[in-house]
Amino acid sequence: MTTFRNFIGGQWVAPSTGAYFENRNPANQDDLIGQFPASGVADVEAAVASAVRGFEKWKRTPAPARGDVLRRVGDLLASRKDELADIMTREMGKPLAETRGDVQEGIDTAYYAATEGRRLFGHTVPSELANKWAMSMRRPIGVCGLITPFNFPLAIPTWKAFPALLCGNSVILKPAEDVPHTATVLVEILLEAGLPPEVIQLVHGMGEVIGKAIVEHPQVPVISFTGSTETGRFVGETCGRMHKRLSLEMGGKNAQIVLDDADLDLALDGVLWGAFGTTGQRCTATSRLVVQAGVHDALVSKLAERAKALRLGDGRVAGTDVGPLVSEAAREKVERYIGIGKEQGATLVCGGERATGGALDKGFFFQPTIFTGVKAGSRLDQEEIFGPVLSVIRVESVEEAFAVNNGVRYGLSSSVYTANVNVAFRALQELDNGITYINAPTIGAEAHMPFGGVKETGNGHREGGWEVYEFYSETKVGYVDYSGALQRAQIDNY
């Protein structure tokens, strides 16, 4: 059995607690990946002290040179793509085709960040006074605490860490307890690429201990959190009280809308991928299918047939379509919602049970599940399940479809299948989501575009694209008066 360590103070070190937790393959609980540190508050204190030292050096490194480090990270990720995909599938379950995509997001994010090292633009503007120069520039902030989820073990840490590092900050990474191995390898790659050791810290452990300590630490002025809305509420309250810069990316209850004029085969492929890719464990997963009455029955019939044919199994085995849920707790949550759906009068069309037999008995497998007759406002319509459960809602009109989409507390992603260009552009304008796709599923964000949602999905900041670099840097304004005399802005020019 392999025992892993934290990376603190430029060294791989054991936790101060002396305690560890096991990491096992969710497709086969007999497969022990290793034991990882169940760290304590003292480990966070040591990590912060080191990160403060690292920041003082790293912030003085020219931004293009910081970008060069991240370009080398991208090269290393590309050279180890298959290895990293295998590591991720083993510890969180989704098929290799998906984890290869996870690595590719990290590669794309690295290369994009590398170019931003020469593009951390400020502005120069005319001064209102003669012989005076007015400009702005971007400056790093300090230590960034990054708390990441299990479903994208490599991509999401890179979404957060690479822009933070490019902007000149130091980073403390706290990965989800379900995916500690991937985070460990990512830190190894950053170091191999030439990142100064004290610029990156890796602290494993439980969220209620390590995540909480990072969020509450007065020397960590920036927090980026991806996870549940409930935990995000605590993080937001703490950061608000301590005046910290905070980015929240939380829950989703995403709808794919299929209208009567849609290409049904295209819509069918989209909802299968959106609902059951990553076993439904995406914040952008298609958890609701909103179908206009004219095509409802035909689409549902084809959908149920295709869903029943999906092959469940170990994601590292060729031919697997759907992997396991990440944990027994996740599977039990899905089972509770099966009961809720039945109690509230929805019709179970397929699935609804654990997937068992043979090798499936060793993992946390659950049948792809479809409910029809789901009512707007019911719990299946409103609450995030984070599993392979699709709720089908029948509507009569475009207006009703849009209202159903908007009638939840979340607002991350949506999609509309239609041949009507006017309706498509109405959807882009009227749907209350941070992302809307036309004739594509609710999943598929690209690394060079901003990512995030509205309402209770987030707090207005975006990951990815150009906007994230504004989050991880401060605007500094500079004036140079070369007139040789006292000039008073807003006074002397009137």
Side-chain angles (χ1 to χ4, degrees), residues 49 199 204 261 267 285 298 311 316 339 363 409 417 429:
V199 176
H204 294 293
D261 63 351
R311 180 176 175 182
R316 296 190 291 171
R409 62 186 178 128
Y417 282 75
Q429 183 68 31

Side-chain angles (χ1 to χ4, degrees), residues 74-97:
D75 293 342
L76 290 168
L77 291 174
S79 70
R80 298 176 63 177
K81 188 173 188 178
D82 288 341
E83 173 199 353
L84 287 162
D86 187 82
I87 288 170
M88 278 189 280
T89 295
R90 186 184 177 200
E91 73 174 353
M92 65 76 60
K94 63 186 177 183
L96 287 172

Side-chain angles (χ1 to χ4, degrees), residues 80-263:
R80 298 176 63 177
K81 188 173 188 178
D82 288 341
E83 173 199 353
L84 287 162
D86 187 82
I87 288 170
M88 278 189 280
T89 295
R90 186 184 177 200
E91 73 174 353
M92 65 76 60
K94 63 186 177 183
L96 287 172
E98 293 191 46
T99 49
R100 290 190 192 102
D102 202 306
V103 182
Q104 188 60 51
E105 285 195 49
I107 296 167
D108 295 342
T109 301
Y111 291 153
Y112 186 88
T115 65
E116 288 302 298
R118 297 180 184 273
R119 289 167 43 89
L120 282 181
F121 294 142
H123 295 84
T124 56
V125 299
S127 171
E128 63 190 44
L129 299 176
N131 299 318
K132 185 179 179 183
W133 189 265
M135 59 187 169
S136 71
M137 65 197 83
R138 311 300 304 182
R139 298 180 71 243
I141 303 171
V143 179
C144 299
L146 312 181
I147 302 171
T148 59
F150 74 86
N151 53 347
F152 288 85
L154 187 96
I156 292 180
T158 67
W159 289 0
K160 298 179 188 295
F162 292 178
L165 293 169
L166 189 281
C167 288
N169 305 290
S170 60
V171 162
I172 300 174
L173 174 61
K174 191 279 173 202
E177 300 94 286
D178 296 306
V179 289
H181 191 195
T182 303
T184 298
V185 177
L186 175 60
V187 170
E188 291 172 346
I189 288 172
L190 283 162
L191 296 170
E192 183 180 347
L195 187 71
E198 290 199 298
V199 176
I200 182 75
Q201 317 286 322
L202 173 65
V203 187
H204 294 293
M206 305 301 112
E208 59 269 25
V209 178
I210 301 307
K212 183 173 183 289
I214 292 171
V215 169
E216 293 179 342
H217 202 288
Q219 289 181 285
V220 182
V222 181
I223 297 291
S224 182
F225 169 84
T226 298
S228 72
T229 299
E230 291 70 26
T231 303
R233 185 174 295 112
F234 162 78
V235 174
E237 290 170 352
T238 303
C239 290
R241 188 172 62 252
M242 300 182 71
H243 306 290
K244 297 192 178 200
R245 179 168 296 201
L246 170 65
S247 174
L248 291 173
E249 203 285 290
M250 301 178 289
K253 192 67 180 175
N254 314 292
Q256 175 178 314
I257 297 171
V258 182
L259 301 177
D260 284 346
D261 63 351
D263 180 333

Side-chain angles (χ1 to χ4, degrees), residues 252-255 287-290 337 340 344 374-385 391-393 403-410:
K253 192 67 180 175
N254 314 292
S287 54
R288 299 184 296 158
L289 178 63
V290 181
Y337 274 96
I340 289 167
Q344 295 200 332
V374 175
K375 303 298 182 184
S378 67
R379 293 184 66 182
L380 286 185
D381 170 61
Q382 294 288 313
E383 299 177 13
E384 186 177 43
I385 301 171
S391 300
V392 183
I393 303 168
V404 169
N405 177 85
N406 292 347
V408 295
R409 62 186 178 128
Y410 301 110

